[in-house]
Amino acid sequence: MTVFDLVRKSAWRKPLRTVLLMISVATAFLIYGLTTSFVDGSQGSSAASDDILGVMSQAGRTQPLPISYLNRITAEPDVAAVGYMLRLRGFATVEKNIIPVSAVDPRRLLSSNGKELGLTSDLIGALGKDRSTVLVGRALAKAQGWTIGHKITVTSFDTAKQDGSRDWPFEIAGIFEGENASTDTYFVVAQYDYVNALRARNKDTVDAFIVRPQPNISAGELASRIDQLFANSAAPTQTRSEKQFLEAFLRQYADIGLIVNMVVGAAFVTLLMIVGNTMVFAVRERTFEIGLLKTLGFSGSWIMALILCETLLIFLVGGATGLLLALLATRITGPAIGLVFSSVIFAKALGMIVLLALVTGALPALNALRIPITSAFRTR
């Protein structure tokens, strides 16, 4: 009989108890997989870039910046590319159907963060065929049932046209996929010249500039230099990375990371109590067998290893089941609701499985080590 056979038979001494323990472990790691997939997905900030910078007004996201800032930012030697963006928030058909629109210069968008959005020269060429054509992200197109050639009307909440209307008609010229599954594609890319020419207020202003630094240039240092350019102007700026901006935006509603850590922490603490307490009783039931193993010459360290391996087996089977269910959930729902299961999540989960198994099995293993042979035989 191999060591694995002995561990397996010990674990399945009471099958119902072992199955319930594995279900508890699977539930905890299902919660871990789903919550961390949310944080790493399009609703979190890990998909955002640390290198691409966003230059916005120091007074807040709703305050525009003059488009004339473009020349001064472009003149910085450490800047590789600069784009700009005007936000147009509105809805299609009903007010609850929110449609985010980003009005940009297509060519500048391609050079500044086109790679991250999965943009190509063909898509940019299609966008430039007519002033009212737009590109739609895959997630938004799928949610709305839109296809290329579809004509849509976005009714803006706060951007009126010169004729007083808030209806902005567009025609879909292409659909962009995003660089990977975690890229946010739930928005429309429109043309800045079209929106700027027709809007009634804040002409020749933008909501943000998108800056791509030169290779090997510190994004933080470049951000400070850009802010210094406009420190004494009428509209000072605040420059942050895309990731910093998204984290700050999410914290306006709640500290997502803290909430996730609290939920996962509560699940794992409960798991440690359940599995640890159960394993203590399981070892106590096998007191006579442990004494017999010691009589046959098995060392205390070998018996400790046996108990730890038994706990590890329960955690591996349960943890793998929970992670598999989390992976299936992310594949079924897709990134549209912000669930992306990455290899990093799996690697962290594997380390946590081993760590929790060792911590949980430590007390029953020490109890087994300290059992005197004479006391073990008195249990019969």
Side-chain angles (χ1 to χ4, degrees):
M1 178 179 290
T2 64
V3 174
F4 177 77
D5 290 331
L6 187 58
V7 170
R8 179 174 55 82
K9 289 182 179 294
S10 297
W12 288 99
R13 178 188 181 95
K14 291 191 175 181
L16 179 60
R17 179 174 64 193
T18 301
V19 169
L20 291 176
L21 287 178
M22 289 180 177
I23 291 175
S24 299
V25 176
T27 302
F29 278 93
L30 173 61
I31 294 172
Y32 170 79
L34 292 177
T35 52
T36 51
S37 293
F38 173 79
V39 172
D40 279 13
S42 59
Q43 301 300 317
S45 61
S46 60
S49 172
D50 278 316
D51 296 325
I52 295 177
L53 299 175
V55 183
M56 287 160 283
S57 172
Q58 195 178 75
R61 295 175 62 247
T62 59
Q63 300 301 312
L65 294 172
I67 198 171
S68 58
Y69 281 13
L70 176 66
N71 294 331
R72 296 180 66 183
I73 296 174
T74 305
E76 275 291 309
D78 292 334
V79 171
V82 185
Y84 50 84
M85 176 182 63
L86 166 67
R87 299 184 188 90
L88 190 154
R89 287 186 69 252
F91 62 90
T93 309
V94 294
E95 288 194 17
K96 291 183 179 179
N97 190 20
I98 305 298
I99 306 297
V101 178
S102 295
V104 303
D105 179 308
R107 295 295 173 184
R108 287 188 174 276
L109 177 67
L110 181 63
S111 60
S112 59
N113 61 332
K115 175 178 177 292
E116 287 73 17
L117 294 177
L119 297 178
T120 63
S121 297
D122 290 340
L123 283 174
I124 295 299
L127 179 61
K129 288 181 179 179
D130 187 85
R131 294 178 67 194
S132 63
T133 55
V134 295
L135 301 178
V136 178
R138 174 61 66 185
L140 179 58
K142 184 177 180 180
Q144 301 291 335
W146 293 343
T147 57
I148 295 176
H150 199 106
K151 293 184 178 180
I152 62 175
T153 298
V154 177
T155 303
S156 175
F157 292 117
D158 50 15
T159 305
K161 298 164 70 174
Q162 293 176 9
D163 60 6
S165 170
R166 294 181 182 272
D167 293 337
W168 295 84
F170 299 111
E171 182 178 346
I172 299 175
I175 296 175
F176 60 93
E177 305 284 344
E179 184 181 22
N180 51 54
S182 62
T183 303
D184 179 17
T185 56
Y186 199 90
F187 64 98
V188 173
V189 175
Q191 299 183 66
Y192 175 84
D193 289 344
Y194 171 66
V195 177
N196 187 55
L198 295 181
R199 61 176 171 167
R201 299 173 59 247
N202 296 327
K203 283 185 177 294
D204 299 327
T205 62
V206 299
D207 290 323
F209 294 95
I210 302 98
V211 178
R212 179 180 289 277
Q214 294 282 4
N216 303 320
I217 295 299
S218 170
E221 292 180 4
L222 179 58
S224 298
R225 290 207 301 274
I226 291 174
D227 288 340
Q228 288 173 7
L229 290 175
F230 310 105
N232 298 319
S233 66
T237 62
Q238 183 177 45
T239 305
R240 292 182 289 187
S241 70
E242 183 185 24
K243 185 171 185 177
Q244 289 173 330
F245 168 76
L246 184 53
E247 288 175 342
F249 178 76
L250 291 173
R251 278 197 295 269
Q252 293 178 4
Y253 302 96
D255 192 332
I256 304 297
L258 177 61
I259 293 173
V260 167
N261 289 334
M262 290 176 65
V263 171
V264 172
F268 284 156
V269 168
T270 304
L271 179 65
L272 286 172
M273 295 174 64
I274 293 173
V275 180
N277 188 57
T278 304
M279 288 301 298
V280 168
F281 281 103
V283 170
R284 191 173 298 171
E285 290 174 359
R286 301 204 296 266
T287 300
F288 179 81
E289 297 172 11
I290 292 172
L292 183 60
L293 288 173
K294 290 184 176 181
T295 303
L296 294 175
F298 290 93
S299 65
S301 58
W302 192 94
I303 294 173
M304 282 187 65
L306 179 65
I307 302 298
L308 290 173
C309 288
E310 182 180 340
T311 310
L312 182 60
L313 177 64
I314 293 172
F315 269 86
L316 283 175
V317 175
T321 303
L323 293 174
L324 178 61
L325 292 174
L327 176 61
L328 289 175
T330 58
R331 292 291 173 85
I332 292 171
T333 59
I337 65 171
L339 296 179
V340 176
F341 192 94
S342 65
S343 57
V344 176
I345 293 176
F346 177 79
K348 289 181 179 179
L350 185 61
M352 294 177 69
I353 286 173
V354 176
L355 178 62
L356 289 172
L358 294 176
V359 172
T360 304
L363 180 58
L366 287 173
N367 289 342
L369 175 66
R370 290 197 296 259
I371 295 175
I373 296 177
T374 53
S375 298
F377 285 138
R378 290 197 195 104
T379 60
R380 282 294 179 93

